[in-house]
Amino acid sequence: MATLLLKKSYQLSNLKEVTFKDLWGTRGVFTTMRMVGKPPKLILLKPHLENLIKSTKKYGIRKNNLKNIIKDLINKNSLYKGSDNLFRIALNKKLISVSIRKRPKPKSNFNLLLFKYKRVEPNYKNLYYKKILAKLSKVDSTKFDIALVANDKILETGTSNLVFVKNEKIFSPKKNCYFGNTLKFLSKKIKINFKDISIKSINDYDEIILIGSGKGVTSVSKIKDLKWKRRKNNCYTKLNKIYNSLV
């Protein structure tokens, strides 16, 4: 795992600072935002906070004025740690944890590895990530991500949403995956068709692209397990240009 540039935990009850815990594996939720520039700017902060608050209700995490408390913790901890980082907020019923780590920049020869796994309650960004983190810890995150597969359908990666391009049309899985904030933003700017993506159909697609806070817009070079290779780059260029308007 990446070295943390900042790590702090607070008791939810009284906001007293305590020993840091990452909270992975506990019943709770998290969100990760890209942090760029000086002074630091958190990309898509508003939708990230809205989704996080919505998820806390699902997981029974209750605290008066929670949104403003989280905003205050962000302001208190958004220290300048470099020009391109990832800012993570995680909560369970007892703790709020914040951390900053350097954003690994994906390389052009980016690969996907297949992993037969579906996230627990995948419509939510929950903290049940230990199996995924164990897999991700074994690969170079600038060159690899893991594509989650269930019932012969590709769902999402360990870090990102996926889009698939066929005849210049863009598709993304519609079930059993999280609809992330970066994908939501792009779907308002360009038409994305949501449908099941089967492994058998993978060679119909010219491009496969990761969409997320950490990966930004990243074009997949190949999926060795499926003998798939990138044939075009047109939609990647288009989506990347739209995404970079945020940065």
Side-chain angles (χ1 to χ4, degrees):
M1 296 300 291
T3 303
L4 297 180
L5 305 173
L6 176 142
K7 53 182 183 180
K8 292 191 177 182
S9 292
Y10 304 85
Q11 288 180 352
L12 188 59
S13 59
N14 57 15
L15 301 179
K16 180 184 174 184
E17 190 172 340
V18 292
T19 304
F20 176 76
K21 291 185 178 176
D22 60 28
L23 304 183
W24 291 122
T26 67
R27 182 171 172 79
V29 294
F30 77 101
T31 195
T32 302
M33 295 170 278
R34 189 173 173 190
M35 188 168 77
V36 296
K38 186 179 181 180
K41 175 178 84 168
L42 290 166
I43 292 174
L44 297 172
L45 172 61
K46 186 179 177 184
H48 273 281
L49 283 182
E50 287 171 355
N51 267 15
L52 187 64
I53 295 300
K54 184 180 174 184
S55 296
T56 59
K57 292 171 184 172
K58 157 76 177 173
Y59 285 81
I61 301 165
R62 293 182 176 86
K63 173 79 174 172
N64 288 338
N65 213 19
L66 184 56
K67 193 172 184 178
N68 285 332
I69 287 168
I70 292 171
K71 280 183 179 178
D72 287 344
L73 288 178
I74 289 171
N75 291 335
K76 188 176 177 181
N77 291 295
S78 291
L79 305 172
Y80 184 70
K81 297 283 184 182
S83 59
D84 196 359
N85 292 315
L86 296 173
F87 189 104
R88 176 179 174 267
I89 307 161
L91 300 94
N92 62 19
K93 289 183 178 181
K94 293 183 178 179
L95 295 173
I96 303 179
S97 292
V98 296
S99 58
I100 298 173
R101 69 184 188 275
K102 187 174 174 59
R103 174 181 173 257
K105 189 176 179 182
K107 294 192 164 70
S108 58
N109 59 335
F110 198 85
N111 289 253
L112 279 184
L113 306 171
L114 300 186
F115 180 35
K116 286 189 177 179
Y117 182 71
K118 182 181 77 173
R119 285 196 306 108
V120 178
E121 298 178 334
N123 292 335
Y124 295 89
K125 203 79 170 171
N126 58 57
L127 289 161
Y128 301 130
Y129 255 72
K130 288 209 164 179
K131 284 189 177 181
I132 290 172
L133 292 173
K135 280 279 182 184
L136 289 174
S137 68
K138 296 173 184 174
V139 300
D140 180 345
S141 60
T142 67
K143 295 179 182 176
F144 296 94
D145 201 344
I146 54 172
L148 306 185
V149 177
N151 298 320
D152 293 322
K153 294 178 179 63
I154 297 185
L155 309 174
E156 57 189 337
T157 79
T159 68
S160 308
N161 286 117
L162 283 166
V163 299
F164 300 77
V165 183
K166 178 168 68 174
N167 301 327
E168 304 296 317
K169 289 184 178 177
I170 303 172
F171 302 89
S172 190
K174 68 174 183 177
K175 289 185 297 193
N176 294 317
C177 53
Y178 180 69
F179 187 24
N181 292 298
T182 311
L183 185 62
K184 275 182 196 170
F185 168 77
L186 290 171
S187 70
K188 291 172 185 172
K189 306 287 183 181
I190 196 164
K191 183 173 175 54
I192 297 176
N193 304 281
F194 291 89
K195 59 173 273 188
D196 290 339
I197 307 290
S198 71
I199 283 181
K200 290 176 183 175
S201 70
I202 203 73
N203 281 308
D204 294 345
Y205 297 98
D206 303 311
E207 299 179 59
I208 300 174
I209 302 163
L210 278 73
I211 309 285
S213 297
K215 295 295 188 291
V217 174
T218 296
S219 177
V220 177
S221 170
K222 64 182 176 181
I223 306 175
K224 191 177 178 182
D225 298 335
L226 299 176
K227 297 185 171 66
W228 181 90
K229 286 188 178 180
R230 179 176 57 211
R231 297 193 288 268
K232 292 183 180 178
N233 240 347
N234 304 4
C235 280
Y236 162 73
T237 303
K238 195 184 298 181
L239 289 171
N240 199 40
K241 186 177 180 181
I242 297 168
Y243 172 74
N244 281 331
S245 68
L246 291 169
V247 179

